[in-house]
Amino acid sequence: ALEMAPEAVVHWDADDRLVMCNDKFRELHSHAAEILVPGLKLENLILRHKASGLRVVRDGASSDWDEAVLEFRKRNFIPEVVVQYGSKWIQIRRNKLSDGSVIAFHTDITEIKKSEERFFKIFQSSPALISISTVDGAVILDVNDVWLKTLGYKKSEVFGRTPFHLKLFED
């Protein structure tokens, strides 16, 4: 069943030792495939990640591997993270099991990231005023630079507000 999973799957015991992983996990982490054997300590995999240039990315910025490992070991809260290795982007979702072990799902999101980058380039380089808002309530989530320059606002003044709060629809 593990090999038939649509994404990479890994299981770590409560002592941070590898229990098992599928071939998709080995493929996504080809930089460390030869050490991915039962009993591998998570710490050794992290050292390999660091040495290979694998980056943890949180909220669009690089994050520290040691901080990520501490959060993983606490296991009270296991955040979803995105890591980048070369041109490959991997989303990692972890679930703590009742015995203290963790099962993690690693998904290759490289194509999604490329699509996001293309969208952002179009969004920012468009000569048109563009805003992104919630469907419910028209709360502004983002605007392009042309929108800001044309209407004379700063980003901090528009995020979380609506066109009605900004009086964009008054005569």
Side-chain angles (χ1 to χ4, degrees):
L2 191 64
E3 290 303 333
M4 307 247 334
E7 56 196 336
V9 182
V10 62
H11 182 205
W12 298 97
D13 70 14
D15 294 321
D16 297 330
R17 289 185 310 254
L18 179 66
V19 175
M20 66 179 119
C21 64
N22 65 4
D23 286 340
K24 288 181 180 159
F25 183 83
R26 284 184 183 82
E27 289 171 23
L28 279 180
H29 299 282
S30 59
H31 63 282
E34 75 279 358
I35 66 169
L36 294 174
V37 296
L40 171 71
K41 290 290 288 178
L42 175 63
E43 182 179 338
N44 292 334
L45 181 59
I46 297 303
L47 289 172
R48 177 66 66 96
H49 287 343
K50 285 180 172 183
S52 68
L54 191 65
R55 296 187 316 133
V56 176
V57 179
R58 288 209 181 122
D59 301 322
S62 286
S63 185
D64 183 56
W65 269 111
D66 296 324
E67 180 182 314
V69 172
L70 285 174
E71 288 175 356
F72 185 81
R73 287 192 172 138
K74 288 180 194 171
R75 295 208 172 118
N76 294 331
F77 172 70
I78 304 176
E80 181 178 295
V81 297
V82 174
V83 296
Q84 182 183 17
Y85 180 65
S87 62
K88 189 182 294 187
W89 289 86
I90 303 167
Q91 176 188 46
I92 303 172
R93 296 176 328 282
R94 302 176 184 113
N95 295 305
K96 182 179 176 182
L97 305 179
S98 60
D99 65 357
S101 66
V102 172
I103 190 161
F105 303 91
H106 294 224
T107 306
D108 186 340
I109 59 167
T110 304
E111 290 305 313
I112 293 169
K113 286 301 231 179
K114 287 179 183 176
S115 178
E116 286 176 357
E117 288 172 11
R118 286 189 299 267
F119 170 79
F120 185 74
K121 286 177 184 174
I122 293 168
F123 176 75
Q124 282 302 343
S125 65
S126 174
L129 281 71
I130 302 175
S131 67
I132 300 172
S133 311
T134 62
V135 173
D136 212 22
V139 176
I140 297 172
L141 303 173
D142 204 355
V143 295
N144 68 356
D145 291 339
V146 173
W147 193 100
L148 293 170
K149 287 178 185 171
T150 303
L151 298 177
Y153 286 98
K154 295 177 187 168
K155 281 192 177 199
S156 61
E157 296 172 317
V158 299
F159 287 169
R161 313 237 8 237
T162 69
F164 298 104
H165 287 124
L166 298 172
K167 302 182 188 309
L168 297 177
F169 296 119
E170 290 189 353
D171 291 334

